[in-house]
Amino acid sequence: DGGITQSPKYLFRKEGQNVTLSCEQNLNHDAMYWYRQDPGQGLRLIYYSQIVNDFQKGDIAEGYSVSREKKESFPLTVTSAQKNPTAFYLCASRMTSVHGETQYFGPGTRLLVL
Amino acid sequence: QKEVEQNSGPLSVPEGAIASLNCTYSDRGSQSFFWYRQYSGKSPELIMFIYSNGDKEDGRFTAQLNKASQYVSLLIRDSQPSDSATYLCAVNRGGGFKTIFGAGTRLFVKA
């Protein structure tokens, strides 16, 4: 099966704790993205990576970190510096064709603070 | 002005009616336009994309693009209760630029 997987589905964070959200894709897509979605809100871009070993900050990168050591994997760490981390986190990868670029999403991880 | 604007709704239509969802964007360099459907608690699912001015039909869905007016819409014919979801409009200018998402329109289809 080709697709994007995210784990865990639910994640609980204690105050002061760093947590890492996993995102894996076997679609051979070069670009990958992390978004945050708050209730009733649109998607806000946290970080994105267009190629292995390279990534850029999105609109709300503070308190988050990423790595891109493999094409298939783009993990997101929510650090203790992120004071309001409760949200739905979505990973996406981008397919490029002659018609343009299309993003496909993983199932998401819901992060809750204890 | 937001880069991609959608009416937040909710838009309520009776079963069998046509639902019309609208989206405007500010970047005239935008090349690709997408509609995603998001059920409550789930991730967005791509349902339509359009690149050229005019209409594009896929089953009960029709996307309409007017680049001169910077306007893209989604029509859902014969609306079903299972169409009840939030619909996100997204815009991309290509070349590795970011895809910009609207906040979404909530659609309710009443049985």
Side-chain angles (χ1 to χ4, degrees):
Chain A
D1 274 344
I4 306 170
T5 57
Q6 291 186 243
S7 62
K9 187 174 181 178
Y10 295 96
L11 185 58
F12 298 93
R13 192 191 93 163
K14 295 179 182 177
E15 198 162 333
Q17 185 182 36
N18 292 355
V19 292
T20 297
L21 286 61
S22 169
C23 178
E24 304 277 334
Q25 55 100 358
N26 61 5
L27 301 168
N28 201 35
H29 291 170
D30 287 316
M32 298 183 73
Y33 303 81
W34 274 106
Y35 293 90
R36 168 179 173 146
Q37 187 176 40
D38 293 279
Q41 304 294 315
L43 303 176
R44 291 188 289 169
L45 182 63
I46 305 172
Y47 267 97
Y48 63 104
S49 167
Q50 302 210 56
I51 198 168
V52 174
N53 292 322
D54 185 53
F55 49 82
Q56 287 79 40
K57 293 182 179 180
D59 301 316
I60 54 164
E62 186 175 350
Y64 300 97
S65 66
V66 293
S67 62
R68 186 84 188 278
E69 297 176 1
K70 297 187 300 181
K71 188 175 186 177
E72 301 80 17
S73 178
F74 190 39
L76 173 74
T77 297
V78 184
T79 74
S80 56
Q82 173 50 245
K83 298 306 180 186
N84 185 22
T86 297
F88 189 38
Y89 289 85
L90 291 159
C91 178
S93 68
R94 186 186 76 206
M95 181 187 79
T96 300
S97 71
V98 294
H99 298 296
E101 300 164 349
T102 306
Q103 287 192 19
Y104 295 91
F105 288 87
T109 292
R110 196 165 298 278
L111 177 61
L112 300 166
V113 176
L114 294 176
Chain B
Q1 181 190 8
K2 292 181 181 177
E3 293 179 83
V4 177
E5 293 207 56
Q6 296 181 254
N7 187 323
S8 62
L11 172 66
S12 184
V13 301
E15 184 175 359
I18 296 175
S20 178
L21 305 165
N22 304 315
C23 173
T24 59
Y25 60 95
S26 60
D27 183 358
R28 285 198 171 273
S30 300
Q31 299 291 326
S32 309
F33 307 86
F34 309 90
W35 284 99
Y36 289 84
R37 178 177 61 201
Q38 186 175 24
Y39 291 114
S40 181
K42 302 295 185 182
S43 64
E45 171 193 10
L46 180 68
I47 55 171
M48 287 287 288
F49 58 87
I50 187 167
Y51 307 112
S52 304
N53 274 328
D55 294 0
K56 179 182 178 182
E57 187 175 317
D58 184 1
R60 294 187 297 113
F61 299 99
T62 298
Q64 299 175 316
L65 175 61
N66 184 327
K67 289 187 178 181
S69 300
Q70 295 175 248
Y71 177 92
V72 58
S73 65
L74 178 70
L75 301 178
I76 306 174
R77 290 182 299 282
D78 188 24
S79 295
Q80 302 297 309
S82 59
D83 294 325
S84 298
T86 296
Y87 289 80
L88 304 176
C89 172
V91 173
N92 185 289
R93 65 180 300 172
F97 283 86
K98 297 183 296 183
T99 296
I100 308 299
F101 288 83
T105 298
R106 292 175 63 197
L107 172 67
F108 290 110
V109 181
K110 299 175 291 184

